[in-house]
Every structure is written in C-alpha cells, then in structure tokens.
Amino acid sequence: MTEITPKVIKDHGLSDAEYQTILRILGREPNLTELGIFSVMWSEHCSYKSSKKWLKTLPTKAPWVICGPGENAGIIDIGDGQACIFKMESHNHPSYIEPYQGATTGVGGILRDIFTMGARPVANLNALHFGAPDHPKTRHLVSGVVAGIAGYGNCMGIPTVGGECDFHPSYNGNILVNAMTVGVADTAKIFYSAATGAGNPLVYVGSKTGRDGIHGATMASAEFNEDSEEKRPTVQVGDPFTEKLVLEACLELMQTDCIIAIQDMGAAGLTCSTFEMASNGGVGVELNLDKVPQRETGMTPYEMMLSESQERMLMVLRPGTEETARRIFEKWELEFSVCGVLTDTGRMVLTKDGKVVGDLPIDPLAKASPEYDRPWTPSPKAPYVAVEDVKAPNDLGQVLKTLVGSPTIASKRWIWEQYDHMVMGDTVQRPGGDAAVVRVHGTRKGLAMTSDCTPRYCQADPFEGGKQAVAEAWRNITASGGLPLAITDCMNFGNPEKPKIMGQFVGCIRGMSEACLALEFPVVSGNVSFYNETQGEGIQPTPSIGGVGVLKDVASMATVAFRTAGQGIVLVGETRGHLGSSLYLRTVEGREEGAPPPVDLAAERRNGDFVRDLIANGLVKTCHDLADGGLGVALAEMCMAGGIGATVYGHDGGLPLHAWLFGEDQARYLVAVDNPEAMVAEAVRAGVPAAIIGVTGGDCLTVGESLSIPVAELRGIHEGWLPKLMA
Amino acid sequence: MRAAVIVFPGSNCDRDVMVALQQSMGRAPHMVWHRETGMPEVDLIVVPGGFSYGDYLRSGAMAAHSPIMKEVVRRANAGVAVLGICNGFQILTEAGLLPGVLMRNAGLKFICRDVGLRVETADSLFTRPYRKGQVVRFPIAHNDGNYFADEATLKRLEDGDRIAFRYASSDGKTDAAANPNGSLRNIAGILNERRNVLGLMPHPERLADPELGGTDGRPMFDGLVKAFAA
C-alpha cells in the first residue's frame, strides 16, 4: 500500500485544507484509490470550484429551455415535440501536446455528451485559436488539430458544418480547441443521468478500460511510480468507429424502455460517471471492478477508476431488461457488462477480488466539493481611441486587400473542406457564411448554428467583450434568418489563482449575462478551461459562445452571397466609425489598443428583430452581419460569396472614409433587396437606422472614387492565405 | 423498382441513399444488415458510403468479407444492378466486382467538396439519363479516392467503354486541375464488364434535392426506377 504522505497529497493537486476536509468526511485516512477519486472529483475540471460562484449568475431560463446547465448538455424545445440538445467543450491542453488525438478525443467526448441524452447528433462545430501564423509550432498544430477533428467526425458520419479559426501570439503556447455538438431528440425520449431504484443493475458498455489518460487531471508521485511501473501519462486515443457503434447501439436501446439513467464516461472516467449518476439520483452504488471490461492485465482499482479510456458509457437498467440490452450491444459487437448494483446506502463501495477496496460517501464528495471565491481585480478600462487618432491610409484598396487576406478574415476553406460537412443530407447552408443551417430531418425546420468570440475585445474590456461575443452569436443566427434561442459557453482563461485573470473571467461573465438577458438568449450548457498559460503569460480571455436558433422553414433562409445584379444594398444600424481594438488598427497600424466597440443591446435587439422579420417574410435573401473589419470586409465577403461585384456610393456623414469602411460598430447588418427605398421606409417606421449605400453588379467592388478591386482578385487573396501557410 | 441498401458497422451514408431512393421510388428500400446471408428479391443493391469497420485495415477490405457480400457478389454475377458509392466503391473493388484500387488521396487529406464530372458513357442503367460528354456536379467526401489500376486494366476499361465518370472542369476538361485526388486518367467511376455494377467515389445522393444545392444526382435514381418499371 502506498502511504499517503504530504507529497502524495500535493501531487494529486489537493491543498492542505482540502485534505483536512477529506479526513473530516471519512473520519479516517483515505487509501490511494480513494485519494485519487477525491482528487479528480475535486479537480478544477470536474468541480468548477473556481468558477461555480460566477457561473451561477448566468441567465439560464426561458420558456423554451427544457434543461439548463448541470446535465451532460443543455436542452431547448424546438417545437413539434422535438428538442435540440447541445454543448461546447474544450480540449485545449491535450490538443497542444498531441494535436491529432487531442482534437479527436475532444470531438468524441462532446458527441457522447449529446447522444447520452437521447439525441442523434446532427452537426459539429469548432472554435479554434492558434498562435501566430509564423510561430514554429503553428503549422504542425493546425494540421494535426484539423485532421483530428476531421478524422473523428467524418468517420462517425456527423457533418462538421461551422465554427471559427483565428490566430494570435497569445495562443503560441496554449492553443484552444473547443468542440460543439448539436443533436435532435424527441422531447418524450430524453435521457438523464440520475440513477434511481435500489437493486437496479449498473451496466458498463462500449470499449474496454485501459491505462490511457489516467494522469489527465493529476500528476503521478514518485512513490506512486515505484508502486506501479506501468503508469503512462498519455493523451487518450480516439476510436471513432467504436463510437459510431456505441452511438447506434445506444439509440437503438433508447427506443426500448430499458434505460433508467445513462451517462458517458468522460473526464475522470468511471469515477465521475458513477458519482454523478448516484448523486443526481440520491442512491448508493456497489461497483464490482472485476466486472469492468479491461484492455490490459493487472490493472489496479486506482487505474480503473481514473482511466480516461474513450467510447465508454454507464447505464442503469430496469431490472429484467438486461438480456434485451445485451442483445443490442452484442449485435454491435460491443462490451456489455453488469458491473454493479444500486443501493440505498448513499455510499460508493468498490470491490475487487472479493475485497472492499474503497468505501466513500457519495454526496459529500459530489456535492460538497470545494467552492472558492477567488480574489479578483477589475480589468482596467482601455482608453477610447478617437477617429482623429487613427491616420487615414494612403491606399484604401490596399487596406481592404490586406484585411481580406489577414489571418482573421482569410477563408478557412482549407480547414472545412477536410470536414465532411454534407453527410446526413440536411446541410442547407454549408460552412463559410454567418451561421451554418441544418434542416431538421424530415421537417421544414432548420437549426442555425454559430460559434463566436472576439478575444481582442475581451482583452481590452472583458465586460464589453463578453457582451459582444453573445451579441455576435445572436446576430449571426439572425442574419441567416434564424430565431436565436440559447447558447453554450466554453470559457477559456488563464490561471484563476491570479486576481487579474479572475477579473477577466468575472468581467466576461457579467457582460455575457447582460447580453443573454437583453437578447433572451440564455446559457443552457458550458464548460470552463482555466490554466491556459505558458511561462506566466495567459491567453487572451476567450469565452467561445456557441449559439443555436431555429428557422421555421428553411426555404426562407438568407445567405451572405450577393445573388443578382441591380439589387440595392442597405446598411442597417448606426455607423460611428469605432476603430478602438479593431482589426484595422491591429492589422494596418500594428496597434493592439483601445476600448472595443460598445454593444447597445437595445439597438442590437431592435435592428436584429427587424432584419429577421424581413428574411422570414421572404423580402431578404442576402444578409450579412458586420463584424471583424466592419463594412468594407462585409461587402467584400458578400461579393466573393456570390461572384458579383458592388458599387458603393460613398457616404455623406462627416466620418473619414477609413473609419466608415473599417470601424467595427455593433448591431449592424448589410442586406441586398429589390426595393431598397421601401425597405428604408419600413426601417424608419420601426425606428431602425438604415441607409441605401450602393447597388450590386459588375465584376468589381467599387467604393466611390477611392477603391475599385476585381472580385476575382479579392477572392484570390482571400482564398490564398491559408493554403499558402499550410503548403 | 425494388432496392436494398447494405448496412455495415460504420456505414454512414445508408440513410442518405435511402432518402434519395425513396424520393425516386416512392417507397423505402430494404435495409440489409451485413451479417445477413440473404436478402429479398431486388432489382438494385446499393453499397453505401461511410467508414465500414472504421476503414482501419484498408478502406473496404474488411467489409468485403462480411457475410452479406457473398450474396451481393452472387446477385451481381446473376445480373442484378449493384451501385457502390464512395466506401461502397472501395468495397466492390476489394470484393473483386470491379478492377483497380482506391488509394489515399494524392494530397493526403480528406476532401469534401462539389466536383465536376464528365459523363463518359450513357450506355448503362445508371448513366442512361445523362448525355455522353455532359458535365454534372456531385460532391465528393473521401480520404481514399485515388483510383489506380495497371495499364492493361485501364486499357480494358477504356476499350470496353467502361469508364462512367471522369473528374472534369465545368467546361469538360479532364486535366490535372480538375482532378481532386490523383486518380489515374481522372477516373471517378467505372462499370464492370457486364455493365450492371457501377462504383463511383462521388455521391449522387448528396445532390438530389434542390435545398442541398443541386439535383444533378437525381436522374441516376429516377433513371433506375424508370428502367425497372418497364
């Protein structure tokens, strides 16, 4: 037996105070297996101990929310007896160490979270943030991460339809790989994790348990290594083929009434799944480790409980249904083992070789995990950058070319052509637009999905940045014609033990909360990833927002592409030429500074609702939200997408042209319509600022006398950057 | 028309092709699990796309040895129409129903996008609705679509008018620029000698619905239904 020394405790990431709590809960010293269980259950990853206090403040309710945060994923009602189940999760650290397997298992994990609840996954998205393009590791990481995401999703046959990818030196040592899955279920067939009914069988299905990923959350001690020389602190390895079988087998079993509760084994594997299921249902568990299917011989209880082997699920079945369930899993050639039984003791009792190897109370571990009110300091406000403080460029055309070919704006086709984005036959809006749209199979409805965050805004002002991330997700769904319903958040930050980082977290949460409330766009699921730091330097605060909305009929969907010549181009929303923290300032002037554009949530709501109604009524087929690079970049994107040029008359305001073209004021859209005068009149009646700024047609994007570039040339620059980087 | 779709562990375009068949046939095809050794009398058997057995050994290699494949081969030899799409094409080559192999894409990456295809022969059940020389647009989505065969085989295919589709530009040029995966002579789909078996890498079932962006794939299914209605 390994002695529980202060070093062993420390190596398991437990503080002295936490260990004292363990002694109080148990009334004795834990053995090594028990200590391991405490350490993963109370790890930041599983317990949210630094973030819980703040996550609780996020708005999570709306009439259409069926299930908010706390379960495997969030659930919203999309009408007709159908629910949409979705979540985004980070796999940052493993993806940096081993990009292919790290990304692949990130996708596998989030897929399981969705089908665990009874949903067939219908779409994957991902938010990727890499370091500087010229950093020596960047190309290797991009290539591995993209291949890993592709490798898993393509094999599973779930289309990867959207997301975002950006580059900034703050991610040089900590890339972000956030994976999102969206699924559809019948509201009458949703499955939860609460285990109930003493005497009911606990069943293990899927892959065998191996020694992979054991030290995912905690580091091994020297003593520990002497005890077991076979510890391999490895990143887990994904097997999408097995997961495809697990998916089909689970969905087949879910058509029966065998299942009482089901949970996937994700972080901290068997430990987290058993404790969460038991705690949610208020029962105890007797787990016979001899019955856990094992890939390797001689595994210890510690290893089995902490393994993060992939593609495994745990279920509680109705007594007497075991054989029905077994037949389904055997058809799919998967492991099936009754490995335990529920009890009414409220304790987790682990046995191996007929001996008790662990005996822990469930609720004190699962529900009484530490919760910290980490000290935080408010982020200092970045100073406002006035338009006059940004000099006019010599050549506006050159500026536009630079921006459309910049890492942030450049086409990510090189990435999404590696993803099967059409399988399942319902992708009605492919990648590259504002939101991806997937038809709900067999219906006229569509799910509009997007992933958004502007980290440079969050860096400059976490509160406004948090607001903006939520608003942009809302806007992207709106621009496709969708009614935004809810979000999942994936909060990527540095070390929360630093008050400055904690201040960024608090700021972002507060900003997000305000936007969620004002836009009726609640948070239904999410994930927190702290400690994204290298050598004391944290990443830019990056709260990735995954948004989901619904279109009543995909026939009324809008896309960003100009469709025909001769349509009027209308700019909706107010333009003030805000250049602080803009892409223009960063890319053209090399200045990463200034307060980000403020988000007026009332204007956001008013302008968005107005545009969405026009789309729903069939008056607008072409719509694009204005974001990075402002009006100029949005115009270029609409021209490139449609292969049609545009002539913009210039403007009559007092703004310098570069501020008008590249300012990043929020709550704005561009639309192309047959009758722009009627639309503007309608906007005036609705109290929405709108102005006719030009007309579609020709082969060039022309802005007054200042700029005229062939669309083909813009497209060459836009499409060329990433393939050239990766060549 | 009566049709069957074979389902292997790891098939993932089985539902897509079922939807396309149903749209043209007006009723659902039989879905046949790979462990079966027989199936109902049908006019068409589809071996769908996906990653059968994870493509872990070699694309299509393990599926070719599934129990149902003996029956597929027997029916094909008896003249029943067999359509292998993507992974289905790989399986048909591994099962010996079609010559050649599908190797890893020349660019070593999975590719998912619409491609142009030139119809090389209208003389088959599958291609009759198209004109020879017509350029159609189908999507591809594969890792291993790089068609290879020895010179003698290629000559036999060409001499026998057995090349069904070649990758082509929108104006019908079958040059290197139009070749997405390195396939020899831009070959995207081939027929067997008897012309009742077609294997192709592109997915006609993915563009058989205007809401998905096009309908160039639909005539293939409509044409089969028409052929077997007579």
Side-chain angles (χ1 to χ4, degrees):
Chain A
M1 285 291 282
T2 302
E3 198 191 335
I4 308 300
T5 62
K7 180 165 182 349
V8 171
I9 295 162
K10 186 165 174 287
D11 288 344
H12 276 78
L14 291 160
S15 69
D16 288 345
E18 286 168 350
Y19 188 67
Q20 291 310 313
T21 310
I22 292 174
L23 292 179
R24 203 168 58 242
I25 288 171
L26 291 182
R28 61 173 168 84
E29 277 199 355
N31 64 29
L32 185 64
T33 303
E34 292 168 336
L35 185 77
I37 289 171
F38 271 103
S39 83
V40 294
M41 286 297 290
W42 289 3
S43 68
E44 188 66 60
H45 190 86
C46 295
S47 72
Y48 294 90
K49 58 191 171 191
S50 302
S51 56
K52 222 184 311 186
K53 172 186 157 78
W54 297 103
L55 295 176
K56 281 183 204 156
T57 66
L58 286 166
T60 59
K61 292 194 169 60
W64 51 88
V65 174
I66 296 174
C67 174
E71 273 288 342
N72 285 299
I75 310 176
I76 54 172
D77 193 327
I78 55 168
D80 313 309
Q82 290 181 307
C84 174
I85 303 185
F86 66 100
K87 187 181 181 183
M88 182 165 10
E89 217 166 56
S90 61
H91 231 218
N92 304 335
H93 296 99
S95 299
Y96 184 76
I97 297 166
E98 213 296 80
Y100 185 95
Q101 293 299 344
T104 251
T105 51
V107 175
I110 194 65
L111 279 163
R112 279 195 300 284
D113 277 335
I114 303 309
F115 70 75
T116 287
M117 303 198 77
R120 179 172 285 279
V122 298
N124 285 323
L125 292 90
N126 51 75
L128 310 178
H129 292 268
F130 295 103
D134 58 359
H135 186 272
K137 287 203 80 163
T138 296
R139 291 169 71 245
H140 157 74
L141 291 167
V142 171
S143 130
V145 164
V146 171
I149 292 171
Y152 212 96
N154 296 353
C155 181
M156 287 285 289
I158 317 291
T160 301
V161 295
E164 56 179 337
C165 172
D166 203 354
F167 299 81
H168 187 271
S170 82
Y171 305 98
N172 280 351
N174 291 88
I175 61 168
L176 301 185
V177 175
N178 297 172
M180 172 171 167
T181 295
V182 180
V184 174
D186 289 343
T187 48
K189 279 277 186 190
I190 293 170
F191 292 83
Y192 295 96
S193 61
T196 54
N200 287 342
L202 186 70
V203 175
Y204 172 119
V205 298
S207 286
K208 291 185 167 77
T209 295
R211 288 192 171 98
D212 44 342
I214 288 172
H215 305 151
T218 54
M219 298 298 286
S221 65
E223 294 88 342
F224 186 63
N225 277 335
E226 285 159 21
D227 248 32
S228 171
E229 49 198 354
E230 274 259 273
K231 299 281 173 287
R232 277 174 281 164
T234 54
V235 174
Q236 313 90 296
V237 174
D239 175 0
F241 171 59
T242 297
E243 180 131 313
K244 166 75 174 164
L245 304 184
V246 174
L247 163 71
E248 297 301 338
C250 284
L251 291 182
E252 193 172 325
L253 183 61
M254 284 164 171
Q255 294 303 310
T256 70
D257 60 353
C258 297
I259 300 175
I260 290 173
I262 178 164
Q263 165 97 327
D264 75 302
M265 295 189 226
L270 206 45
T271 293
C272 227
S273 52
T274 47
F275 274 89
E276 280 177 12
M277 290 181 83
S279 176
N280 289 347
V283 295
V285 172
E286 268 179 41
L287 181 62
N288 182 352
L289 293 172
D290 296 319
K291 299 280 188 191
V292 170
Q294 294 156 49
R295 200 164 62 210
E296 306 176 53
T297 55
M299 288 185 68
T300 64
Y302 181 97
E303 291 170 328
M304 280 188 245
M305 290 306 288
L306 270 57
S307 161
E308 291 191 359
S309 291
Q310 300 290 293
E311 294 91 24
R312 303 179 298 162
M313 311 284 282
L314 204 59
M315 308 184 295
V316 176
L317 295 182
R318 254 172 248 294
T321 63
E322 294 95 323
E323 285 317 302
T324 307
R326 183 190 297 278
R327 271 196 299 277
I328 290 173
F329 281 85
E330 283 177 354
K331 171 189 161 190
W332 292 97
E333 298 174 36
L334 293 165
E335 294 292 333
F336 179 97
S337 173
V338 178
C339 64
V341 64
L342 303 191
T343 66
D344 56 8
T345 61
R347 299 187 73 84
M348 173 77 59
V349 180
L350 308 174
T351 61
K352 187 167 188 297
D353 303 325
K355 285 197 282 283
V356 172
V357 294
D359 184 352
L360 297 165
I362 286 165
D363 276 357
L365 249 110
K367 291 195 175 141
S369 57
E371 179 176 334
Y372 296 130
D373 184 2
R374 301 258 190 219
W376 58 280
T377 48
S379 309
K381 293 263 179 203
Y384 177 73
V385 175
V387 170
E388 307 78 72
D389 295 336
V390 182
K391 66 176 191 298
N394 295 329
D395 182 349
L396 277 169
Q398 189 50 51
V399 167
L400 182 59
K401 289 185 211 170
T402 303
L403 288 177
V404 299
S406 69
T408 299
I409 302 293
S411 168
K412 304 304 182 309
R413 181 184 300 276
W414 184 92
I415 292 175
W416 53 256
E417 280 193 347
Q418 293 186 56
Y419 303 149
D420 189 336
H421 48 268
M422 305 180 210
V423 64
M424 295 183 84
D426 284 305
T427 306
V428 293
Q429 182 153 173
R430 298 182 187 180
D434 279 336
V437 181
V438 169
R439 200 168 48 188
V440 178
H441 193 68
T443 76
R444 299 298 311 151
K445 282 185 306 216
L447 292 171
M449 297 158 286
T450 179
S451 153
D452 294 287
C453 179
T454 312
R456 62 178 188 278
Y457 294 171
C458 298
Q459 177 78 31
D461 182 341
F463 177 77
E464 284 299 329
K467 259 165 77 181
Q468 194 274 343
V470 173
E472 189 176 343
W474 190 85
R475 211 183 301 141
N476 276 325
I477 291 167
T478 294
S480 74
L483 178 65
L485 291 179
I487 63 172
T488 177
D489 58 9
C490 191
M491 311 290 291
N492 307 277
F493 290 80
N495 181 352
E497 293 160 40
K498 294 182 181 169
K500 175 187 149 194
I501 301 290
M502 207 54 209
Q504 293 175 339
F505 183 76
V506 171
C508 283
I509 291 269
R510 287 181 165 170
M512 286 163 55
S513 290
E514 205 169 292
C516 290
L517 278 178
L519 302 173
E520 283 187 280
F521 202 28
V523 178
V524 295
S525 59
N527 156 253
V528 179
S529 170
F530 281 131
Y531 301 100
N532 293 288
E533 287 206 7
T534 300
Q535 289 163 353
E537 272 305 304
I539 57 165
Q540 291 193 335
T542 313
S544 298
I545 304 297
V548 174
V550 167
L551 288 93
K552 276 194 188 130
D553 188 337
V554 292
S556 65
M557 177 181 79
T559 67
V560 305
F562 285 142
R563 295 176 183 227
T564 49
Q567 285 196 312
I569 303 170
V570 180
L571 173 59
V572 176
E574 201 174 346
T575 300
R576 293 177 174 167
H578 188 104
L579 287 169
S581 273
S582 66
L583 191 67
Y584 174 90
L585 202 59
R586 187 176 88 184
T587 307
V588 177
E589 298 248 317
R591 293 163 63 187
E592 294 193 44
E593 61 178 72
V599 183
D600 175 345
L601 292 164
E604 198 70 68
R605 182 83 195 246
R606 194 167 50 238
N607 299 354
D609 288 349
F610 173 72
V611 166
R612 192 180 319 104
D613 282 349
L614 292 178
I615 298 171
N617 293 331
L619 297 170
V620 168
K621 284 278 165 206
T622 296
C623 181
H624 191 10
D625 93 301
L626 271 60
D628 289 318
L631 175 62
V633 165
L635 281 166
E637 287 172 337
M638 297 171 88
C639 290
M640 292 185 287
I644 293 176
T647 301
V648 173
Y649 314 132
H651 70 304
D652 51 9
L655 283 175
L657 201 50
H658 65 289
W660 186 71
L661 274 179
F662 303 114
E664 295 180 0
D665 309 282
Q666 301 291 298
R668 296 187 300 161
Y669 302 83
L670 273 178
V671 299
V673 284
D674 292 330
N675 190 342
E677 289 80 10
M679 187 196 141
V680 169
E682 189 68 30
V684 169
R685 273 195 292 280
V688 168
I692 303 168
I693 62 160
V695 63
T696 62
D699 298 325
C700 293
L701 172 57
T702 304
V703 178
E705 304 288 304
S706 324
L707 170 169
S708 186
I709 311 169
V711 175
E713 185 185 347
L714 284 172
R715 201 183 246 173
I717 297 166
H718 184 63
E719 293 292 346
W721 180 78
L722 189 52
K724 189 166 166 233
L725 177 73
M726 298 308 297
Chain B
M1 182 174 77
R2 299 158 302 170
V5 177
I6 310 297
V7 184
F8 298 96
S11 292
N12 63 32
C13 302
D14 43 329
R15 189 184 80 179
D16 300 0
V17 82
M18 179 188 82
V19 168
L21 283 168
Q22 189 157 8
Q23 175 178 261
S24 293
M25 291 160 64
R27 62 187 161 122
H30 300 283
M31 304 304 280
V32 180
W33 184 235
H34 75 118
R35 286 236 195 103
E36 302 290 329
T37 49
M39 69 180 111
E41 283 302 307
V42 290
D43 306 302
L44 170 73
I45 298 170
V46 180
V47 186
F51 285 72
S52 56
Y53 293 95
D55 279 352
Y56 285 159
L57 175 61
R58 193 172 64 237
S59 299
M62 284 195 266
H65 295 283
S66 268
I68 193 65
M69 283 309 293
K70 278 206 179 72
E71 182 64 7
V72 173
V73 171
R74 193 184 70 78
R75 300 271 181 111
N77 290 336
V80 173
V82 176
L83 172 62
I85 303 169
C86 197
N87 194 220
F89 183 15
Q90 295 158 347
I91 293 168
L92 295 183
T93 60
E94 289 286 343
L97 283 175
L98 291 169
V101 292
L102 284 311
M103 304 193 305
R104 179 57 44 97
N105 292 342
L108 304 181
K109 285 194 284 292
F110 190 96
I111 312 169
C112 177
R113 65 161 185 257
D114 291 355
V115 295
L117 296 176
R118 194 173 73 194
V119 179
E120 298 293 280
T121 177
D123 179 20
S124 80
L125 282 169
F126 311 94
T127 55
R128 199 168 295 155
Y130 303 100
R131 268 180 300 104
K132 181 177 168 148
Q134 180 183 350
V135 176
V136 294
R137 186 168 55 95
F138 290 2
I140 55 168
H142 59 244
N143 240 331
D144 303 310
N146 182 355
Y147 185 77
F148 179 88
D150 58 32
E151 274 303 315
T153 306
L154 292 173
K155 186 168 181 332
R156 252 197 331 276
L157 288 172
E158 283 179 343
D159 291 349
D161 190 28
R162 287 165 55 194
I163 298 182
F165 298 99
R166 284 188 216 265
Y167 299 108
S169 60
S170 53
D171 57 356
K173 275 205 273 306
T174 57
D175 54 10
N179 188 338
N181 54 27
S183 289
L184 286 180
R185 303 189 194 180
N186 282 40
I187 290 174
I190 56 170
L191 294 156
N192 67 342
E193 210 170 335
R194 195 168 167 174
R195 311 186 84 73
N196 65 320
V197 178
L198 170 68
L200 77 170
M201 289 311 297
H203 289 268
E205 81 279 15
R206 289 191 181 189
L207 279 183
D209 171 353
E211 280 184 346
L212 301 180
T215 54
D216 282 359
R218 178 148 189 182
M220 186 182 291
F221 301 104
D222 286 349
L224 285 160
V225 170
K226 204 171 142 200
F228 289 112

